[in-house]
Amino acid sequence: MSRSCVITTEEPNWWLTPPAEASCEVGGTEQEPSAERANGWDRQPVALVRFADSAGLADWVASLLLRDRLLRPQRPLGLATGRTMEPVYAALARQVNGLTPAERQELRRRWCSFNLDAYVGVDRADPRSFAAEMASRLTTPLGLDPERVHLPDGQADDPHAAAECYAAQLAATGGIGLQLLGLGINGHVGFNEPPCEADAPCRCLELSPATRMQNAGAFGGDPEAVPQQAITLGLREILAAERLLLVVTGGAKAEVLARTLREPPTPELPASWIQLHPRALVVADGAAAALLDASCEQGELLA
Ligand code: GLP
C-alpha cells in the first residue's frame, strides 16, 4: 500500500517542526515516516489541505507566506508565478496592509525571495515577464526593495551561465526555506518539464509544447509566441528546501494532482518527486481535489 497522501483540515504540526526534530504527526496520529522507497529515495506521506473556496485558500496560503517571513526569515522564501498565485499575492498585499507600520518595516527588512523561473529572451520591463509580474503583484504592493526579490536573468546573453549564477546565488544563502509551488498541466513544477530526474539542477531548458500552450494566454493566445526556453530552479534546489507548499486550483488540474500524489515518483511527472520530501504540504480547492475526495476520508491515508 502506498502512503502518498493524507487529507487534513489544518496545518500539520510537523510542518512547523524544525527539520531535525520533525515527527510526521498528521491529523492527530503519529505516523512513522514511510519506509517505502522509490528509486532509492524514501517516500513520505504528503498532507493535503482542502478548501471549499478559492478565496479562503488564497488567504490561508498568504498567511503562511507572511508568517514565514516574519518568524522564519533565516532562509529565503521560494516564490512562483502563474494564475494560481495571483489571488495569493493579492491576499498577501491585503494582509500586509493590515500590519502596523512597524511590522511592515520589519517585513521589508527581513524579506528575501528567490523565484522559481523566468522566460529566456523576455525583457524585465515586458509585462509578460515573470519579473514584471512579481514587481506589479508583490514588490510594489508590499513596498519591498527590488534587490531582495530575486529572479533568474532571462535576458542574459548566456542563459546557461545565468542559470549557474542563479544557483550559486541561492546556494550562498543556504537554500530555500519555504518553497511555494504551482503545478503545470503536464506535471511540471517551476519549469521542470517531463521527463525530469529528482536531482536535476537549476538550468536553462526547452519548454514543452504543452507548457507553451498552457501559458499562451499571456502571449495573445498564441503558443508560438511563448518563449521556447526558460531558466528554472531544478528539482535539486526545490527538494532541498526546508518545506514545500504546492498550491493547486481548478478542475483542469484534478487529474494531474491525483496522479502527482498517488503514482510512485517518476521523471514523467516531475511534481511527483515532492512525495520524497519530509515536509510537503499540498493546498487545493474542491475542484482540484475532486478526484482525491472520491477515495479519501479526512485524516485517512490514500491507498
Ligand atoms: C507555469 C510556471 C510555474 C507555475 C505553473 C502553474 O508554467 N512555470 O511556476 O506555477 O506553471 O501555472 P498556472 O498557475 O498559471 O496554472
Side-chain angles (χ1 to χ4, degrees):
M1 182 197 256
S2 71
R3 293 184 139 197
S4 59
C5 175
V6 183
I7 291 197
T8 176
T9 51
E10 57 191 23
E11 209 175 7
N13 290 343
W14 52 259
W15 168 251
L16 286 171
T17 310
E21 301 158 31
S23 66
C24 287
E25 185 182 330
V26 176
T29 313
E30 278 290 308
Q31 302 286 348
E32 285 300 313
S34 171
E36 187 173 344
R37 294 174 74 81
N39 292 0
W41 293 64
D42 279 330
R43 196 171 169 199
Q44 310 283 349
V46 173
L48 171 73
V49 180
R50 183 181 36 187
F51 279 80
D53 70 299
S54 311
L57 179 150
D59 268 334
W60 194 71
V61 172
S63 70
L64 296 190
L65 302 183
L66 183 55
R67 196 179 56 192
D68 177 79
R69 277 311 78 195
L70 289 173
L71 301 181
R72 301 167 70 98
Q74 296 82 358
R75 282 184 172 210
L77 183 59
L79 293 178
T81 46
R83 282 149 296 186
T84 311
M85 302 307 163
E86 291 175 10
V88 171
Y89 293 134
L92 182 59
R94 282 194 300 274
Q95 290 177 20
V96 169
N97 269 337
L99 297 177
T100 65
E103 287 170 333
R104 276 203 294 276
Q105 194 179 1
E106 193 59 16
L107 176 74
R108 289 166 187 153
R109 198 179 64 78
R110 294 182 178 194
W111 193 274
C112 180
S113 59
F114 279 74
N115 264 71
L116 280 167
D117 45 25
Y119 290 121
V120 167
V122 182
D123 194 279
R124 288 181 72 87
D126 186 321
R128 300 169 302 184
S129 73
F130 290 170
E133 190 175 327
M134 294 312 290
S136 67
R137 297 192 190 282
L138 184 89
T139 315
T140 303
L142 270 61
L144 301 174
D145 177 354
E147 297 285 315
R148 292 176 170 271
V149 181
H150 304 273
L151 288 103
D153 182 3
Q155 289 173 267
D157 291 339
D158 181 348
H160 299 279
E164 280 181 28
C165 178
Y166 193 60
Q169 204 183 355
L170 174 59
T173 70
I176 299 288
L178 172 59
Q179 176 65 62
L180 182 65
L181 296 168
L183 181 62
I185 288 288
N186 64 355
H188 73 216
V189 281
F191 270 133
N192 289 281
E193 301 281 40
C196 179
E197 298 292 342
D199 63 351
C202 181
R203 65 208 181 284
C204 172
L205 45 61
E206 299 291 317
L207 294 177
S208 69
T211 293
R212 295 176 74 206
M213 181 69 80
Q214 181 187 331
N215 290 359
F219 293 83
D222 178 10
E224 291 296 313
V226 178
Q228 294 179 3
Q229 292 186 316
I231 297 172
T232 184
L233 290 184
L235 262 302
R236 179 183 295 178
E237 290 85 12
I238 292 170
L239 294 176
E242 285 178 341
R243 294 181 293 152
L244 302 182
L245 182 61
L246 176 67
V247 184
V248 191
T249 55
K253 304 248 180 97
E255 187 183 341
V256 69
L257 177 59
R259 290 183 55 217
T260 292
L261 300 183
R262 282 177 170 158
E263 293 184 7
T266 167
E268 303 310 319
L269 200 59
S272 65
W273 293 119
I274 72 165
Q275 293 176 37
L276 307 181
H277 198 284
R279 278 165 213 86
L281 193 60
V282 180
V283 186
D285 65 5
L291 297 178
L292 295 165
D293 288 350
S295 58
C296 291
E297 297 291 330
Q298 295 276 342
E300 281 193 356
L301 293 169
L302 276 181

